[in-house]
Amino acid sequence: MIRNETYILPNGVEIPKLGLGTWFIPDAQAAEAVKAAVSVGYRHFDTAQAYENERGVGEGVCTCGLPREQLFVTSKVAAEHKDHASAARSIDETLSKMGLDYLDLMIIHSPQPWAGFRGGDYAAGNREAWRALEDAYAAGKLRAIGVSNFKKEDLDNILSSCKVRPMVNQILLHISNTDLALLDYCKAQGILVEAYSPIAHGEALKNGQIAAMAQKYGVSPAALCVRYVLELGAVALPKTADPAHMEDNTAVDFSISAGDMEALKQIAPIESYGAVSHFPVFSGK
Ligand SMILES: NC(=O)c1ccc[n+]([C@@H]2O[C@H](COP(=O)([O-])OP(=O)(O)OC[C@H]3O[C@@H](n4cnc5c(N)ncnc54)[C@H](OP(=O)(O)O)[C@@H]3O)[C@@H](O)[C@H]2O)c1
């Protein structure tokens, strides 16, 4: 049952395979969304300093009725923090905003500030930010640490100088957008991949080939999308504040055949992410 399934991070920490994405859930609605998700069976929540809903997500975690240790909470150091002091300060601010003593996972949101995504030289800045994560990890404020949107060269920059190796890399991963080389590299380095936008920010639901494959398996297109990234060995982070959709996204206790996985990998890339196409994570810049 997906509700009980976990991966084990290199330091032995268990991470639920399914987590609730919270990007675009407003702060005022985030606590209700977290509590609804807990009722459905979610135990893993993904927020970020940049989402401006850490307070609400923290409130949901603190008031959902479950002991803190039964929940897995992730946030992200804002992409703009590329020095030790500001990254370290931001981690303390996150803990304070969320009302938590520790986070289960904190990751660097992006190797470059968003205004210069996939450009510039931030190698030294990323090593500085990473050192802040290592320090917070050593201090017991974070149970695990990782990165997001890191390509091979960004990972190598950290791996060549770190005391603690990145435990996860959260990347854009969905049917029609599968970077197999990066997946393989992360696996070889013992870095767990987390799939963000597993439903292509909703755009996958408009794709006829995905709909047809979902029909073949008797599941919804959203559930097929979630199952696809799980089959690749990644964490799935579908976002919704709708309890019916939350429930639907847990209906993934089936497997996709190897042949159908190959067919799904070959689906032509989704060309537009609609109203958010201009965001760096979707436009590549
Ligand atoms: N690290 C990064 O840089 C980064 C970047 C992007 C995303 N993320 C993380 O990944 C999470 C997920 O990505 P995302 O928010 O871009 O999008 P997503 O999860 O791929 O798709 C969300 C969209 O799908 C719809 N949806 C979800 N479940 C559904 C269902 N069962 N049936 C029908 N529609 C459904 C949602 O609508 P409703 O809300 O109406 O249900 C929403 O429009 C984010 O929330 C965030 O936590 C991280």
Side-chain angles (χ1 to χ4, degrees):
M1 289 279 285
I2 189 66
R3 286 175 174 83
N4 304 320
E5 287 176 27
T6 57
Y7 296 112
I8 310 283
L9 295 175
N11 64 350
V13 165
E14 280 189 69
I15 175 169
K17 291 185 178 182
L18 179 67
L20 186 78
T22 69
W23 186 27
F24 281 111
I25 299 181
D27 190 55
Q29 290 158 32
E32 281 316 304
V34 168
K35 288 193 271 188
V38 166
S39 301
V40 169
Y42 288 74
R43 297 293 179 264
H44 174 177
F45 301 94
D46 182 84
T47 181
Q49 291 168 356
Y51 300 169
E52 298 183 345
N53 63 9
E54 286 178 309
R55 188 212 60 80
V57 171
E59 183 190 329
V61 167
C62 295
T63 60
C64 71
L66 286 184
R68 169 70 184 89
E69 61 274 16
Q70 287 185 22
L71 301 171
F72 191 98
V73 183
T74 300
S75 192
K76 311 184 188 81
V77 169
E80 291 70 26
H81 294 311
K82 296 299 179 207
D83 63 88
H84 183 279
S86 69
R89 194 165 47 242
S90 81
I91 294 168
D92 289 339
E93 282 167 5
T94 287
L95 289 170
S96 153
K97 262 186 209 162
M98 297 190 81
L100 300 175
D101 299 329
Y102 69 91
L103 289 187
D104 296 281
L105 174 65
M106 191 89 185
I107 61 188
I108 297 178
H109 206 148
S110 162
Q112 299 88 23
W114 296 119
F117 193 56
R118 302 290 182 227
D121 180 2
Y122 293 93
N126 280 314
R127 291 195 298 269
E128 282 283 295
W130 186 252
R131 212 160 47 75
L133 285 163
E134 288 179 329
D135 290 348
Y137 176 69
K141 297 174 187 177
L142 310 174
R143 293 179 69 227
I145 54 178
V147 295
S148 178
N149 292 301
F150 272 44
K151 298 217 178 244
K152 179 182 182 300
E153 57 273 22
D154 304 313
L155 290 170
D156 288 343
N157 173 46
I158 302 293
L159 289 168
S160 64
S161 64
C162 60
K163 283 190 283 187
V164 181
R165 293 164 61 86
M167 298 171 199
V168 310
N169 189 13
Q170 186 180 118
I171 59 173
L172 179 64
L173 180 66
H174 57 74
I175 298 172
S176 91
N177 190 335
T178 305
D179 187 340
L180 291 172
L182 185 57
L183 276 177
D184 285 348
Y185 190 65
C186 289
K187 196 170 182 187
Q189 294 296 332
I191 297 170
L192 179 68
V193 168
E194 295 191 319
Y196 75 67
S197 304
I199 311 172
H201 205 78
E203 294 301 313
L205 306 178
K206 302 174 186 165
N207 183 293
Q209 287 171 281
I210 295 174
M213 186 71 84
Q215 198 170 24
K216 173 177 167 182
Y217 283 88
V219 299
S220 72
L224 185 80
C225 289
V226 172
R227 185 70 226 173
Y228 174 80
V229 299
L230 293 169
E231 294 282 354
L232 294 172
V235 169
L237 297 170
K239 170 265 168 184
T240 182
D242 177 338
H245 288 172
M246 290 174 190
E247 185 77 48
D248 185 29
N249 295 342
T250 65
V252 294
D253 293 320
F254 64 99
S255 49
I256 303 173
S257 73
D260 286 339
M261 281 298 289
E262 283 313 309
L264 290 171
K265 281 178 198 163
Q266 300 310 324
I267 288 183
I270 284 168
E271 292 194 347
S272 164
Y273 291 88
V276 295
S277 289
H278 63 288
F279 275 72
V281 288
F282 297 128
S283 70
K285 54 184 180 313

